[in-house]
Amino acid sequence: MQLVVARVGRAHGIKGEVTVEVRTDEPELRLGPGAVLATDPASAGPLTIETGRVHSGRLLLRFEGVRDRTAAEALRNTLLIAEVDPDAKPEDPEEYYDHQLMDLDVVTVDGAEVGRITEISHLPSQDLFVVERADGTEVLIPFVEEIVTEIDLAEQRAVIDPPPGLIDDQAEIASPQEEA
């Protein structure tokens, strides 16, 4: 199975390094020296990582055969794709690959059906499940421990304990207390 693990950003310096937007929880495994990655567009690759380093909080990579800024800049916005065993699981039992979560049924802790996960959106602050309901509408569920209480891959379901207003219109509006 192929998974997007990074997107190439702008060139860094004049010796062929590029910044990358990491899209994997295991960059040391997927983006290490010697890794051979397919690309989208396919004409840009495959690319073999020669070196990698962190600079000012950003991962910088250099690919074999990319020796100058012009060649590095030509790779901008290229997606880097790794071949991953579909049965492989992350080392941490509390982590999941996106493909494991896709199409899980979402139910509340009391058993009410919410819908099915159709997409995982990776935002800077947290990940979100995009859940399609039976009526075709979508609801966004933050993938945080307080809300997603259980992932059961054997049963193909995600159990949630949503706060009021997350999946319905029963939001509680806080109002200032009147002083007596």
Side-chain angles (χ1 to χ4, degrees):
M1 161 178 282
Q2 294 189 321
L3 296 176
V4 174
V5 293
R7 183 184 64 82
V8 176
R10 65 175 121 182
H12 179 83
I14 60 171
K15 296 184 180 180
E17 285 185 312
V18 294
T19 62
V20 292
E21 173 190 309
V22 177
R23 295 189 180 176
T24 176
D25 288 338
E26 301 171 316
E28 63 285 344
L29 176 65
R30 309 272 181 234
L31 300 171
V36 179
L37 303 168
T39 60
D40 181 8
S43 60
L47 295 172
T48 302
I49 297 174
E50 187 173 285
T51 64
R53 66 187 177 100
V54 176
H55 175 72
S56 297
R58 301 268 286 149
L59 180 61
L60 302 179
L61 296 179
R62 182 178 316 182
F63 301 104
E64 289 180 5
V66 178
R67 295 284 171 236
D68 60 28
R69 185 176 185 85
T70 303
E73 193 60 41
L75 295 173
R76 191 173 195 164
N77 293 321
T78 298
L79 296 177
L80 302 177
I81 303 166
E83 189 66 38
V84 176
D85 178 357
D87 296 325
K89 296 182 180 166
E91 288 180 19
D92 184 343
E94 297 295 315
E95 290 183 4
Y96 301 92
Y97 293 128
D98 286 3
H99 70 273
Q100 293 174 299
L101 301 170
M102 293 297 293
D103 294 324
L104 292 184
D105 291 321
V106 179
V107 297
T108 62
V109 290
D110 59 6
E113 292 185 21
V114 177
R116 179 166 289 196
I117 298 173
T118 58
E119 183 181 338
I120 289 92
S121 182
H122 300 282
L123 303 176
S125 59
Q126 68 195 18
D127 295 338
L128 292 174
F129 291 160
V130 178
V131 177
E132 184 175 326
R133 297 174 181 225
D135 66 4
T137 61
E138 290 182 340
V139 62
L140 302 176
I141 309 288
F143 187 22
V144 294
E145 194 174 341
E146 295 80 16
I147 296 173
V148 180
T149 60
E150 179 186 359
I151 298 290
D152 187 338
L153 296 178
E155 293 292 322
Q156 287 290 289
R157 68 181 188 154
V159 179
I160 65 169
D161 186 9
L166 183 65
I167 61 173
D168 54 32
D169 58 3
Q170 303 300 316
E172 295 175 7
I173 308 295
S175 61
Q177 296 290 329
E178 291 185 27
E179 293 186 21

